[in-house]
Amino acid sequence: VANVEITKAAAIAAGTTEPNPWGPGHSAPLPGYCRVEGVMNRRTGVGGEEFGITFILAMPDKWNGDFLMQGGAGSNGVVMPPLGLNAAGDTPALLRGFAVVSTDTGHKSHHPGFDFAFVKDQQAYLDFAYLANAEVGQLAKQLIAQHYEKPAKYSYFSGCSTGGREGMILSQRYPTIFNG
């Protein structure tokens, strides 16, 4: 795919964990999965700052046939582990067999909390506002279809706060990317 760099592709063994992004400890033991990391549209922007839409896709060995994109938080700028933690119930989506993708929406946060310094770069702002999630969602669907040799039956987006804003924008601007 044009303007996409795959920076890592690895088989992750069943039983591994991810650090808990919201507090101490780690996730529950995860199923075996293929982890694909990459960057879309890498470029140098305003002030010489490096930009690019970073993503991580997790494709479980025991796939349920569905895909979930998890929304971001705050001002984004960080790629959260692709677990689908905010997707209904106590069991994250990856543990339920969903392929899950996460993105930083095209910029790196320079400090904890809300960091909107990236808005000085118009393309970075547009990526955050609405472009990045649509592009990553479409790419993830292509990678899933290639990996499993068939497309996802259903595609979902889940998020709250900034992720909720992203979901509303996706439903309005790109109504055919996700089923729900």
Side-chain angles (χ1 to χ4, degrees):
V1 177
N3 299 318
V4 174
E5 301 168 42
I6 300 299
T7 58
K8 178 180 180 180
I12 306 299
T16 60
T17 62
E18 284 274 352
N20 182 350
W22 294 286
H26 285 76
S27 69
L30 301 172
Y33 68 98
C34 176
R35 183 180 180 111
V36 177
E37 300 180 15
V39 180
M40 301 175 73
N41 306 327
R42 188 185 302 266
R43 65 186 180 78
T44 302
V46 170
E49 188 170 348
E50 294 296 317
F51 290 98
I53 303 167
T54 305
F55 64 90
I56 304 174
L57 173 62
M59 296 178 286
D61 297 344
K62 295 180 182 173
W63 184 43
N64 69 8
D66 292 337
F67 162 55
L68 174 81
M69 182 170 191
Q70 65 184 32
S75 58
N76 288 341
V78 176
V79 182
M80 300 300 282
L83 304 177
L85 294 173
N86 63 355
D90 294 331
T91 306
L94 182 61
L95 275 70
R96 292 187 288 155
F98 284 79
V100 180
V101 73
S102 183
T103 180
D104 65 2
T105 65
H107 63 277
K108 301 287 180 268
S109 184
H110 298 293
H111 59 78
F114 290 91
D115 177 6
F116 284 97
F118 68 91
V119 301
K120 65 185 176 276
D121 184 279
Q122 183 178 22
Q123 185 61 54
Y125 175 72
L126 293 172
D127 287 341
F128 168 78
Y130 66 93
L131 293 172
N133 282 309
E135 292 179 17
V136 170
Q138 290 171 326
L139 175 66
K141 289 169 76 172
Q142 289 178 296
L143 294 172
I144 289 165
Q146 183 178 4
H147 180 74
Y148 293 113
E149 298 181 346
K150 63 181 178 180
K153 289 182 291 191
Y154 296 102
S155 301
Y156 302 97
F157 185 92
S158 178
C160 61
S161 190
T162 290
R165 176 192 64 80
E166 293 167 343
M168 293 302 296
I169 287 170
L170 286 162
S171 70
Q172 294 166 9
R173 288 182 178 254
Y174 307 99
T176 60
I177 295 178
F178 298 99
N179 301 105

